Amino acid sequence: MQWTTHEVSNQVPDLHDYNLYSSDTVLQAAIQDSAASWYAAELKHLGAELGTQETLQLGQLANQHVPELQTHDRFGNRIDRVDFHPSWHRLLGMQRHAQLHALPWAQPRAGAHIARTAAYYLQAQVESGSLCPVTMTYAAIPLLQQEPALFATLQEKLFSLQHDERDLPLAEKNSMLIGMGMTEKQGGSDVRSNTTVARPLETAGRGHAYAITGHKWFFSAPMCDAHLVLARTEAGPSCFFVPRWRPDGSKNTILIQRLKDKLGNRSNSSSEVEFQDAYGVMVGEDGRGIPTIIEMANHTRLDCVIGSAGLMRNALVQAIHHARHRHAFGLPLAEQALMQNVLADLALESEAATRLMLRLAQAAEAIDDPLQRAWRRVVTPAAKFWVCKRALEFSGECMEVWGGNGYVENAPMARMYREAPVNSIWEGSGNVMCLDVLRAIAKESDAFKLLLDSLLDIALEHKGLRELIAELRTDLALPAAQQEMQARRFTQRLVLVAQSCLMLQSAPPEIAEAFVNSRLDAECGRVFGTLATPLPAQDILQRAWPA
Ligand SMILES: Cc1cc2nc3c(=O)[nH]c(=O)nc-3n(C[C@H](O)[C@H](O)[C@H](O)COP(=O)(O)OP(=O)(O)OC[C@H]3O[C@@H](n4cnc5c(N)ncnc54)[C@H](O)[C@@H]3O)c2cc1C
């Protein structure tokens, strides 16, 4: 019998085989104008590789076939191994090859931080979970560089461009990954409450061996070759390099209790572990573990911003692609006025996030300059709060552009939506970031004044922005309790001013004006799609995702 009930029509083709870099007008122009222009050809190559159907599918597979914990072998011996789908290892191999784990440390030349940021941003558009161990490795390297004897034994494996998935003692491996273990059951933000203890095996102090006993409640990527772990000595919380294998070739006693069953970030294994006299070497000063490990935080927090900006870019591109193909009421969605408002608003948000991320990467290039220090030290936590949080609503709105098709798991939007919250939670949740902004300003008050002055120079023509900058100055004169109570309000203001100035500096004037006017308009911003008219919507969309 031959019959059909219907023909499939008006469904949107999958988006693949496009160049993530060449199709990104904002990123390309910013790289060409930056100290990282030497990296443009590399980014173009990476953008093409990441946009192939095969690569995009790796992201899907790695989240579909989630990691599995094997605590014991069949004889009952503990093995504490995590098994991954091959797609996970291929994604890590790509990141390694693109040097996302080490570029500015291995090649410390002008523009290296910006180059690595751009590459990470492209990779984040494909898969997020695999970024976690790469970020932690990247952030650990400058800390380990301060321990010359230890670093000399690790450097080659840290800088290696190969991903080595084998669970072997370090001496037998081609490369290594490093994770971080701070959070315990009783506290993640307040790591001073840590109860894990470290006892010197012989001599106490920096560079010496300890036995560590206790637990970690969130311990991502436990298959890493080592973790930097916070544990308490008599002098207070201290930082330890805890390898997966002991120097004598036996497995270190880091027992993986279970893997977390997570909302998103499912390709990545996040575990609960217990240390039973685990071997570790102290890094940094005895009792100064929190400042030591917090040094890593500026890097990991920037990666949260980059990761969320990349997620937003991917969600935006998918939303515009869908709206250009899908028809309703006789017209493509992208040609309907209200949908144009939604998409244009999303495109402005995405561009501002991308520009902020690049500006923070630029600041990482010159850490001794007070203005750059203010961007890095004050604006990084502010951006971590803002961009990661905007990604939540952003990904939900992009999913809605897809209608019902956005809500199902065999399309890309659901994974992005489930992925969005984690960057806002780990590495310091929203409130902790806003309080850190205040703390950083108190420490860097002169540098912060320079920052506000430089923003004012850009904002001179804009009464609204001038007023916001004046309010930022007045807020800092408030009593401490009041400042703390309104730290989110302060941080929101700071980021909106910073993003507005970056848009005014670099975006075409009508697009920059659309951003600034909408972000200062009390009627805008509660939901996307509330931009006032007249609005250069076609120009904004064409720039965001050239038709
Ligand atoms: C998927 C995933 C993977 C992770 N991987 C790791 C890892 O590998 N290593 C690791 O060490 N940790 C890891 N974490 C833990 C993560 O860093 C913590 O969850 C995070 O720091 C928050 O700590 P907490 O969960 O204990 O929340 P809490 O510290 O209890 O905080 C709860 C809420 O209270 C707020 N808060 C805290 N203090 C204040 C205050 N003074 N004023 C106002 N509000 C406040 C916070 O902003 C937060 O919203 C991971 C978490 C997740 C979700």
Side-chain angles (χ1 to χ4, degrees), residues 11-15 314-323 326 333 339 343 396-408 410-414 416:
Q11 288 282 357
V12 175
D14 277 341
L15 178 61
N314 186 23
L316 174 73
V317 165
Q318 292 286 0
I320 301 177
H321 169 76
H322 186 91
R326 178 83 169 176
L333 291 171
M339 183 59 93
L343 293 172
E397 197 65 65
C398 290
M399 182 162 76
E400 191 168 325
V401 172
W402 275 52
N405 283 347
Y407 201 71
V408 298
N410 56 5
M413 308 311 275
M416 275 186 252

PDB file of all heavy atoms in Angstrom, residues 11-15 314-323 326 333 339 343 396-408 410-414 416:
ATOM      1  N   GLN A  11      10.320  22.805   8.180  1.00  0.00           N
ATOM      2  CA  GLN A  11      11.235  22.464   9.280  1.00  0.00           C
ATOM      3  C   GLN A  11      12.601  23.042   8.919  1.00  0.00           C
ATOM      4  O   GLN A  11      12.969  23.097   7.743  1.00  0.00           O
ATOM      5  CB  GLN A  11      11.324  20.954   9.470  1.00  0.00           C
ATOM      6  CG  GLN A  11      10.073  20.349  10.080  1.00  0.00           C
ATOM      7  CD  GLN A  11       9.977  20.576  11.587  1.00  0.00           C
ATOM      8  OE1 GLN A  11      10.870  21.150  12.204  1.00  0.00           O
ATOM      9  NE2 GLN A  11       8.886  20.123  12.180  1.00  0.00           N
ATOM     10  N   VAL A  12      13.335  23.448   9.900  1.00  0.00           N
ATOM     11  CA  VAL A  12      14.577  24.191   9.656  1.00  0.00           C
ATOM     12  C   VAL A  12      15.765  23.226   9.558  1.00  0.00           C
ATOM     13  O   VAL A  12      15.924  22.365  10.430  1.00  0.00           O
ATOM     14  CB  VAL A  12      14.806  25.212  10.796  1.00  0.00           C
ATOM     15  CG1 VAL A  12      16.148  25.924  10.635  1.00  0.00           C
ATOM     16  CG2 VAL A  12      13.660  26.218  10.830  1.00  0.00           C
ATOM     17  N   PRO A  13      16.579  23.354   8.495  1.00  0.00           N
ATOM     18  CA  PRO A  13      17.735  22.445   8.382  1.00  0.00           C
ATOM     19  C   PRO A  13      18.736  22.681   9.509  1.00  0.00           C
ATOM     20  O   PRO A  13      18.850  23.803  10.013  1.00  0.00           O
ATOM     21  CB  PRO A  13      18.363  22.829   7.030  1.00  0.00           C
ATOM     22  CG  PRO A  13      17.877  24.211   6.739  1.00  0.00           C
ATOM     23  CD  PRO A  13      16.538  24.352   7.417  1.00  0.00           C
ATOM     24  N   ASP A  14      19.438  21.612   9.869  1.00  0.00           N
ATOM     25  CA  ASP A  14      20.495  21.759  10.881  1.00  0.00           C
ATOM     26  C   ASP A  14      21.526  22.766  10.401  1.00  0.00           C
ATOM     27  O   ASP A  14      21.813  22.850   9.205  1.00  0.00           O
ATOM     28  CB  ASP A  14      21.227  20.414  11.083  1.00  0.00           C
ATOM     29  CG  ASP A  14      20.468  19.520  12.037  1.00  0.00           C
ATOM     30  OD1 ASP A  14      19.623  20.040  12.793  1.00  0.00           O
ATOM     31  OD2 ASP A  14      20.716  18.294  12.008  1.00  0.00           O
ATOM     32  N   LEU A  15      22.101  23.467  11.347  1.00  0.00           N
ATOM     33  CA  LEU A  15      23.157  24.416  11.017  1.00  0.00           C
ATOM     34  C   LEU A  15      24.500  23.729  11.218  1.00  0.00           C
ATOM     35  O   LEU A  15      24.848  23.362  12.351  1.00  0.00           O
ATOM     36  CB  LEU A  15      23.032  25.644  11.929  1.00  0.00           C
ATOM     37  CG  LEU A  15      24.086  26.721  11.755  1.00  0.00           C
ATOM     38  CD1 LEU A  15      24.070  27.307  10.356  1.00  0.00           C
ATOM     39  CD2 LEU A  15      23.876  27.831  12.781  1.00  0.00           C
ATOM     40  N   ASN A 314      26.439  31.125  20.366  1.00  0.00           N
ATOM     41  CA  ASN A 314      25.897  29.943  19.704  1.00  0.00           C
ATOM     42  C   ASN A 314      24.367  29.970  19.720  1.00  0.00           C
ATOM     43  O   ASN A 314      23.721  29.704  18.707  1.00  0.00           O
ATOM     44  CB  ASN A 314      26.429  28.681  20.406  1.00  0.00           C
ATOM     45  CG  ASN A 314      26.035  27.407  19.678  1.00  0.00           C
ATOM     46  OD1 ASN A 314      25.749  27.418  18.491  1.00  0.00           O
ATOM     47  ND2 ASN A 314      26.020  26.317  20.412  1.00  0.00           N
ATOM     48  N   ALA A 315      23.800  30.322  20.872  1.00  0.00           N
ATOM     49  CA  ALA A 315      22.336  30.365  20.979  1.00  0.00           C
ATOM     50  C   ALA A 315      21.769  31.419  20.023  1.00  0.00           C
ATOM     51  O   ALA A 315      20.737  31.204  19.365  1.00  0.00           O
ATOM     52  CB  ALA A 315      21.931  30.684  22.425  1.00  0.00           C
ATOM     53  N   LEU A 316      22.443  32.544  19.921  1.00  0.00           N
ATOM     54  CA  LEU A 316      21.979  33.615  19.034  1.00  0.00           C
ATOM     55  C   LEU A 316      22.001  33.166  17.574  1.00  0.00           C
ATOM     56  O   LEU A 316      21.017  33.354  16.839  1.00  0.00           O
ATOM     57  CB  LEU A 316      22.882  34.847  19.209  1.00  0.00           C
ATOM     58  CG  LEU A 316      22.604  35.988  18.229  1.00  0.00           C
ATOM     59  CD1 LEU A 316      21.300  36.699  18.598  1.00  0.00           C
ATOM     60  CD2 LEU A 316      23.754  36.993  18.196  1.00  0.00           C
ATOM     61  N   VAL A 317      23.128  32.579  17.176  1.00  0.00           N
ATOM     62  CA  VAL A 317      23.264  32.141  15.779  1.00  0.00           C
ATOM     63  C   VAL A 317      22.174  31.114  15.454  1.00  0.00           C
ATOM     64  O   VAL A 317      21.531  31.188  14.403  1.00  0.00           O
ATOM     65  CB  VAL A 317      24.691  31.559  15.568  1.00  0.00           C
ATOM     66  CG1 VAL A 317      24.783  30.761  14.289  1.00  0.00           C
ATOM     67  CG2 VAL A 317      25.717  32.690  15.581  1.00  0.00           C
ATOM     68  N   GLN A 318      21.962  30.194  16.367  1.00  0.00           N
ATOM     69  CA  GLN A 318      20.914  29.182  16.153  1.00  0.00           C
ATOM     70  C   GLN A 318      19.540  29.837  16.067  1.00  0.00           C
ATOM     71  O   GLN A 318      18.694  29.433  15.270  1.00  0.00           O
ATOM     72  CB  GLN A 318      20.921  28.158  17.304  1.00  0.00           C
ATOM     73  CG  GLN A 318      22.138  27.256  17.350  1.00  0.00           C
ATOM     74  CD  GLN A 318      22.135  26.177  16.267  1.00  0.00           C
ATOM     75  OE1 GLN A 318      21.203  26.083  15.460  1.00  0.00           O
ATOM     76  NE2 GLN A 318      23.184  25.382  16.232  1.00  0.00           N
ATOM     77  N   ALA A 319      19.320  30.849  16.885  1.00  0.00           N
ATOM     78  CA  ALA A 319      18.006  31.513  16.892  1.00  0.00           C
ATOM     79  C   ALA A 319      17.782  32.261  15.571  1.00  0.00           C
ATOM     80  O   ALA A 319      16.705  32.172  14.962  1.00  0.00           O
ATOM     81  CB  ALA A 319      17.914  32.475  18.077  1.00  0.00           C
ATOM     82  N   ILE A 320      18.792  32.990  15.115  1.00  0.00           N
ATOM     83  CA  ILE A 320      18.613  33.750  13.865  1.00  0.00           C
ATOM     84  C   ILE A 320      18.474  32.789  12.688  1.00  0.00           C
ATOM     85  O   ILE A 320      17.630  32.981  11.804  1.00  0.00           O
ATOM     86  CB  ILE A 320      19.778  34.745  13.639  1.00  0.00           C
ATOM     87  CG1 ILE A 320      19.888  35.737  14.808  1.00  0.00           C
ATOM     88  CG2 ILE A 320      19.579  35.514  12.342  1.00  0.00           C
ATOM     89  CD1 ILE A 320      21.056  36.722  14.701  1.00  0.00           C
ATOM     90  N   HIS A 321      19.307  31.747  12.691  1.00  0.00           N
ATOM     91  CA  HIS A 321      19.219  30.739  11.616  1.00  0.00           C
ATOM     92  C   HIS A 321      17.792  30.180  11.548  1.00  0.00           C
ATOM     93  O   HIS A 321      17.197  30.090  10.473  1.00  0.00           O
ATOM     94  CB  HIS A 321      20.232  29.622  11.911  1.00  0.00           C
ATOM     95  CG  HIS A 321      20.074  28.409  11.058  1.00  0.00           C
ATOM     96  ND1 HIS A 321      20.494  28.366   9.748  1.00  0.00           N
ATOM     97  CD2 HIS A 321      19.535  27.180  11.323  1.00  0.00           C
ATOM     98  CE1 HIS A 321      20.219  27.174   9.239  1.00  0.00           C
ATOM     99  NE2 HIS A 321      19.640  26.441  10.188  1.00  0.00           N
ATOM    100  N   HIS A 322      17.276  29.838  12.694  1.00  0.00           N
ATOM    101  CA  HIS A 322      15.927  29.269  12.733  1.00  0.00           C
ATOM    102  C   HIS A 322      14.896  30.277  12.217  1.00  0.00           C
ATOM    103  O   HIS A 322      14.050  29.954  11.380  1.00  0.00           O
ATOM    104  CB  HIS A 322      15.588  28.844  14.173  1.00  0.00           C
ATOM    105  CG  HIS A 322      14.280  28.125  14.280  1.00  0.00           C
ATOM    106  ND1 HIS A 322      14.180  26.754  14.183  1.00  0.00           N
ATOM    107  CD2 HIS A 322      13.014  28.598  14.441  1.00  0.00           C
ATOM    108  CE1 HIS A 322      12.907  26.407  14.298  1.00  0.00           C
ATOM    109  NE2 HIS A 322      12.179  27.514  14.464  1.00  0.00           N
ATOM    110  N   ALA A 323      15.016  31.506  12.713  1.00  0.00           N
ATOM    111  CA  ALA A 323      14.002  32.516  12.372  1.00  0.00           C
ATOM    112  C   ALA A 323      14.065  32.896  10.889  1.00  0.00           C
ATOM    113  O   ALA A 323      13.052  33.309  10.313  1.00  0.00           O
ATOM    114  CB  ALA A 323      14.213  33.754  13.245  1.00  0.00           C
ATOM    115  N   ARG A 326      12.250  29.510   9.263  1.00  0.00           N
ATOM    116  CA  ARG A 326      10.906  29.070   9.691  1.00  0.00           C
ATOM    117  C   ARG A 326       9.863  30.135   9.324  1.00  0.00           C
ATOM    118  O   ARG A 326      10.027  31.315   9.651  1.00  0.00           O
ATOM    119  CB  ARG A 326      10.915  28.866  11.212  1.00  0.00           C
ATOM    120  CG  ARG A 326       9.602  28.467  11.812  1.00  0.00           C
ATOM    121  CD  ARG A 326       9.368  26.990  11.690  1.00  0.00           C
ATOM    122  NE  ARG A 326       8.241  26.569  12.493  1.00  0.00           N
ATOM    123  CZ  ARG A 326       7.771  25.336  12.509  1.00  0.00           C
ATOM    124  NH1 ARG A 326       8.336  24.395  11.763  1.00  0.00           N
ATOM    125  NH2 ARG A 326       6.740  25.018  13.266  1.00  0.00           N
ATOM    126  N   LEU A 333       9.985  34.045  10.112  1.00  0.00           N
ATOM    127  CA  LEU A 333       9.902  34.688  11.444  1.00  0.00           C
ATOM    128  C   LEU A 333      10.818  35.904  11.527  1.00  0.00           C
ATOM    129  O   LEU A 333      10.482  36.919  12.141  1.00  0.00           O
ATOM    130  CB  LEU A 333      10.312  33.693  12.534  1.00  0.00           C
ATOM    131  CG  LEU A 333       9.351  32.538  12.784  1.00  0.00           C
ATOM    132  CD1 LEU A 333       9.995  31.517  13.726  1.00  0.00           C
ATOM    133  CD2 LEU A 333       8.035  33.058  13.365  1.00  0.00           C
ATOM    134  N   MET A 339       9.475  39.788  16.200  1.00  0.00           N
ATOM    135  CA  MET A 339      10.606  38.845  16.296  1.00  0.00           C
ATOM    136  C   MET A 339      11.914  39.573  16.025  1.00  0.00           C
ATOM    137  O   MET A 339      12.952  39.285  16.651  1.00  0.00           O
ATOM    138  CB  MET A 339      10.416  37.685  15.312  1.00  0.00           C
ATOM    139  CG  MET A 339      11.503  36.634  15.390  1.00  0.00           C
ATOM    140  SD  MET A 339      11.646  35.892  17.043  1.00  0.00           S
ATOM    141  CE  MET A 339      10.584  34.472  16.883  1.00  0.00           C
ATOM    142  N   LEU A 343      15.215  39.404  18.399  1.00  0.00           N
ATOM    143  CA  LEU A 343      16.531  38.958  17.908  1.00  0.00           C
ATOM    144  C   LEU A 343      17.557  40.089  17.989  1.00  0.00           C
ATOM    145  O   LEU A 343      18.725  39.861  18.330  1.00  0.00           O
ATOM    146  CB  LEU A 343      16.411  38.448  16.464  1.00  0.00           C
ATOM    147  CG  LEU A 343      15.584  37.166  16.297  1.00  0.00           C
ATOM    148  CD1 LEU A 343      15.370  36.861  14.811  1.00  0.00           C
ATOM    149  CD2 LEU A 343      16.262  35.972  16.978  1.00  0.00           C
ATOM    150  N   GLY A 396      17.225  30.882  27.346  1.00  0.00           N
ATOM    151  CA  GLY A 396      15.791  30.582  27.384  1.00  0.00           C
ATOM    152  C   GLY A 396      15.050  31.298  26.256  1.00  0.00           C
ATOM    153  O   GLY A 396      14.159  30.726  25.607  1.00  0.00           O
ATOM    154  N   GLU A 397      15.435  32.534  26.018  1.00  0.00           N
ATOM    155  CA  GLU A 397      14.752  33.306  24.962  1.00  0.00           C
ATOM    156  C   GLU A 397      15.088  32.731  23.577  1.00  0.00           C
ATOM    157  O   GLU A 397      14.211  32.624  22.709  1.00  0.00           O
ATOM    158  CB  GLU A 397      15.202  34.777  25.041  1.00  0.00           C
ATOM    159  CG  GLU A 397      14.311  35.745  24.303  1.00  0.00           C
ATOM    160  CD  GLU A 397      12.906  35.836  24.879  1.00  0.00           C
ATOM    161  OE1 GLU A 397      12.763  36.287  26.006  1.00  0.00           O
ATOM    162  OE2 GLU A 397      11.954  35.452  24.155  1.00  0.00           O
ATOM    163  N   CYS A 398      16.345  32.348  23.386  1.00  0.00           N
ATOM    164  CA  CYS A 398      16.736  31.762  22.093  1.00  0.00           C
ATOM    165  C   CYS A 398      16.008  30.439  21.871  1.00  0.00           C
ATOM    166  O   CYS A 398      15.621  30.113  20.750  1.00  0.00           O
ATOM    167  CB  CYS A 398      18.246  31.535  22.036  1.00  0.00           C
ATOM    168  SG  CYS A 398      19.167  33.076  21.943  1.00  0.00           S
ATOM    169  N   MET A 399      15.843  29.687  22.958  1.00  0.00           N
ATOM    170  CA  MET A 399      15.103  28.430  22.846  1.00  0.00           C
ATOM    171  C   MET A 399      13.667  28.705  22.391  1.00  0.00           C
ATOM    172  O   MET A 399      13.110  27.997  21.548  1.00  0.00           O
ATOM    173  CB  MET A 399      15.110  27.728  24.209  1.00  0.00           C
ATOM    174  CG  MET A 399      14.426  26.388  24.221  1.00  0.00           C
ATOM    175  SD  MET A 399      14.926  25.435  25.675  1.00  0.00           S
ATOM    176  CE  MET A 399      14.000  26.239  26.923  1.00  0.00           C
ATOM    177  N   GLU A 400      13.090  29.779  22.927  1.00  0.00           N
ATOM    178  CA  GLU A 400      11.692  30.106  22.580  1.00  0.00           C
ATOM    179  C   GLU A 400      11.563  30.529  21.117  1.00  0.00           C
ATOM    180  O   GLU A 400      10.518  30.300  20.499  1.00  0.00           O
ATOM    181  CB  GLU A 400      11.179  31.211  23.512  1.00  0.00           C
ATOM    182  CG  GLU A 400       9.692  31.406  23.406  1.00  0.00           C
ATOM    183  CD  GLU A 400       9.133  32.296  24.519  1.00  0.00           C
ATOM    184  OE1 GLU A 400       9.647  32.226  25.645  1.00  0.00           O
ATOM    185  OE2 GLU A 400       8.186  33.048  24.227  1.00  0.00           O
ATOM    186  N   VAL A 401      12.629  31.121  20.565  1.00  0.00           N
ATOM    187  CA  VAL A 401      12.595  31.462  19.133  1.00  0.00           C
ATOM    188  C   VAL A 401      12.366  30.189  18.314  1.00  0.00           C
ATOM    189  O   VAL A 401      11.713  30.215  17.276  1.00  0.00           O
ATOM    190  CB  VAL A 401      13.908  32.170  18.701  1.00  0.00           C
ATOM    191  CG1 VAL A 401      13.966  32.341  17.196  1.00  0.00           C
ATOM    192  CG2 VAL A 401      14.055  33.516  19.406  1.00  0.00           C
ATOM    193  N   TRP A 402      12.871  29.080  18.788  1.00  0.00           N
ATOM    194  CA  TRP A 402      12.689  27.805  18.105  1.00  0.00           C
ATOM    195  C   TRP A 402      11.294  27.210  18.365  1.00  0.00           C
ATOM    196  O   TRP A 402      10.972  26.141  17.846  1.00  0.00           O
ATOM    197  CB  TRP A 402      13.722  26.802  18.608  1.00  0.00           C
ATOM    198  CG  TRP A 402      15.047  26.873  17.907  1.00  0.00           C
ATOM    199  CD1 TRP A 402      15.820  27.967  17.719  1.00  0.00           C
ATOM    200  CD2 TRP A 402      15.753  25.781  17.308  1.00  0.00           C
ATOM    201  NE1 TRP A 402      16.967  27.636  17.065  1.00  0.00           N
ATOM    202  CE2 TRP A 402      16.967  26.294  16.793  1.00  0.00           C
ATOM    203  CE3 TRP A 402      15.498  24.418  17.174  1.00  0.00           C
ATOM    204  CZ2 TRP A 402      17.901  25.482  16.135  1.00  0.00           C
ATOM    205  CZ3 TRP A 402      16.438  23.618  16.538  1.00  0.00           C
ATOM    206  CH2 TRP A 402      17.624  24.153  16.013  1.00  0.00           C
ATOM    207  N   GLY A 403      10.501  27.835  19.211  1.00  0.00           N
ATOM    208  CA  GLY A 403       9.194  27.271  19.538  1.00  0.00           C
ATOM    209  C   GLY A 403       9.355  25.911  20.194  1.00  0.00           C
ATOM    210  O   GLY A 403      10.341  25.653  20.895  1.00  0.00           O
ATOM    211  N   GLY A 404       8.399  25.014  19.932  1.00  0.00           N
ATOM    212  CA  GLY A 404       8.425  23.678  20.550  1.00  0.00           C
ATOM    213  C   GLY A 404       9.676  22.909  20.173  1.00  0.00           C
ATOM    214  O   GLY A 404      10.191  22.112  20.971  1.00  0.00           O
ATOM    215  N   ASN A 405      10.181  23.119  18.962  1.00  0.00           N
ATOM    216  CA  ASN A 405      11.382  22.392  18.530  1.00  0.00           C
ATOM    217  C   ASN A 405      12.589  22.732  19.398  1.00  0.00           C
ATOM    218  O   ASN A 405      13.559  21.982  19.438  1.00  0.00           O
ATOM    219  CB  ASN A 405      11.716  22.719  17.069  1.00  0.00           C
ATOM    220  CG  ASN A 405      10.793  21.970  16.119  1.00  0.00           C
ATOM    221  OD1 ASN A 405      10.083  21.056  16.534  1.00  0.00           O
ATOM    222  ND2 ASN A 405      10.780  22.375  14.866  1.00  0.00           N
ATOM    223  N   GLY A 406      12.530  23.877  20.065  1.00  0.00           N
ATOM    224  CA  GLY A 406      13.637  24.256  20.938  1.00  0.00           C
ATOM    225  C   GLY A 406      13.669  23.450  22.214  1.00  0.00           C
ATOM    226  O   GLY A 406      14.705  23.356  22.884  1.00  0.00           O
ATOM    227  N   TYR A 407      12.536  22.851  22.553  1.00  0.00           N
ATOM    228  CA  TYR A 407      12.396  22.211  23.871  1.00  0.00           C
ATOM    229  C   TYR A 407      12.772  20.732  23.862  1.00  0.00           C
ATOM    230  O   TYR A 407      12.774  20.079  24.892  1.00  0.00           O
ATOM    231  CB  TYR A 407      10.941  22.384  24.340  1.00  0.00           C
ATOM    232  CG  TYR A 407      10.757  22.236  25.817  1.00  0.00           C
ATOM    233  CD1 TYR A 407      11.235  23.203  26.697  1.00  0.00           C
ATOM    234  CD2 TYR A 407      10.122  21.113  26.346  1.00  0.00           C
ATOM    235  CE1 TYR A 407      11.076  23.065  28.063  1.00  0.00           C
ATOM    236  CE2 TYR A 407       9.953  20.970  27.709  1.00  0.00           C
ATOM    237  CZ  TYR A 407      10.431  21.941  28.573  1.00  0.00           C
ATOM    238  OH  TYR A 407      10.279  21.809  29.917  1.00  0.00           O
ATOM    239  N   VAL A 408      13.072  20.204  22.697  1.00  0.00           N
ATOM    240  CA  VAL A 408      13.349  18.762  22.641  1.00  0.00           C
ATOM    241  C   VAL A 408      14.848  18.499  22.604  1.00  0.00           C
ATOM    242  O   VAL A 408      15.624  19.333  22.144  1.00  0.00           O
ATOM    243  CB  VAL A 408      12.653  18.094  21.422  1.00  0.00           C
ATOM    244  CG1 VAL A 408      11.146  18.233  21.534  1.00  0.00           C
ATOM    245  CG2 VAL A 408      13.162  18.683  20.119  1.00  0.00           C
ATOM    246  N   ASN A 410      16.713  16.388  20.933  1.00  0.00           N
ATOM    247  CA  ASN A 410      17.520  16.093  19.744  1.00  0.00           C
ATOM    248  C   ASN A 410      17.805  17.342  18.914  1.00  0.00           C
ATOM    249  O   ASN A 410      18.281  17.265  17.793  1.00  0.00           O
ATOM    250  CB  ASN A 410      16.894  14.975  18.885  1.00  0.00           C
ATOM    251  CG  ASN A 410      15.475  15.296  18.477  1.00  0.00           C
ATOM    252  OD1 ASN A 410      14.986  16.397  18.755  1.00  0.00           O
ATOM    253  ND2 ASN A 410      14.816  14.352  17.823  1.00  0.00           N
ATOM    254  N   ALA A 411      17.518  18.503  19.472  1.00  0.00           N
ATOM    255  CA  ALA A 411      17.915  19.776  18.863  1.00  0.00           C
ATOM    256  C   ALA A 411      18.889  20.451  19.832  1.00  0.00           C
ATOM    257  O   ALA A 411      18.991  20.057  20.990  1.00  0.00           O
ATOM    258  CB  ALA A 411      16.678  20.632  18.637  1.00  0.00           C
ATOM    259  N   PRO A 412      19.618  21.475  19.373  1.00  0.00           N
ATOM    260  CA  PRO A 412      20.714  21.972  20.231  1.00  0.00           C
ATOM    261  C   PRO A 412      20.300  22.887  21.382  1.00  0.00           C
ATOM    262  O   PRO A 412      21.095  23.120  22.286  1.00  0.00           O
ATOM    263  CB  PRO A 412      21.578  22.767  19.242  1.00  0.00           C
ATOM    264  CG  PRO A 412      20.670  23.175  18.149  1.00  0.00           C
ATOM    265  CD  PRO A 412      19.622  22.114  18.051  1.00  0.00           C
ATOM    266  N   MET A 413      19.071  23.411  21.392  1.00  0.00           N
ATOM    267  CA  MET A 413      18.760  24.483  22.339  1.00  0.00           C
ATOM    268  C   MET A 413      18.631  23.996  23.782  1.00  0.00           C
ATOM    269  O   MET A 413      19.011  24.694  24.723  1.00  0.00           O
ATOM    270  CB  MET A 413      17.467  25.213  21.930  1.00  0.00           C
ATOM    271  CG  MET A 413      17.452  25.680  20.500  1.00  0.00           C
ATOM    272  SD  MET A 413      18.931  26.581  20.026  1.00  0.00           S
ATOM    273  CE  MET A 413      18.569  28.219  20.559  1.00  0.00           C
ATOM    274  N   ALA A 414      18.093  22.788  23.962  1.00  0.00           N
ATOM    275  CA  ALA A 414      17.862  22.301  25.325  1.00  0.00           C
ATOM    276  C   ALA A 414      19.186  22.133  26.066  1.00  0.00           C
ATOM    277  O   ALA A 414      19.316  22.487  27.242  1.00  0.00           O
ATOM    278  CB  ALA A 414      17.102  20.980  25.282  1.00  0.00           C
ATOM    279  N   MET A 416      21.938  23.772  25.563  1.00  0.00           N
ATOM    280  CA  MET A 416      22.467  25.096  25.915  1.00  0.00           C
ATOM    281  C   MET A 416      21.761  25.660  27.143  1.00  0.00           C
ATOM    282  O   MET A 416      22.375  26.256  28.014  1.00  0.00           O
ATOM    283  CB  MET A 416      22.271  26.069  24.747  1.00  0.00           C
ATOM    284  CG  MET A 416      23.365  26.000  23.738  1.00  0.00           C
ATOM    285  SD  MET A 416      23.142  27.283  22.522  1.00  0.00           S
ATOM    286  CE  MET A 416      22.623  26.331  21.138  1.00  0.00           C
TER     287      MET A 416
END
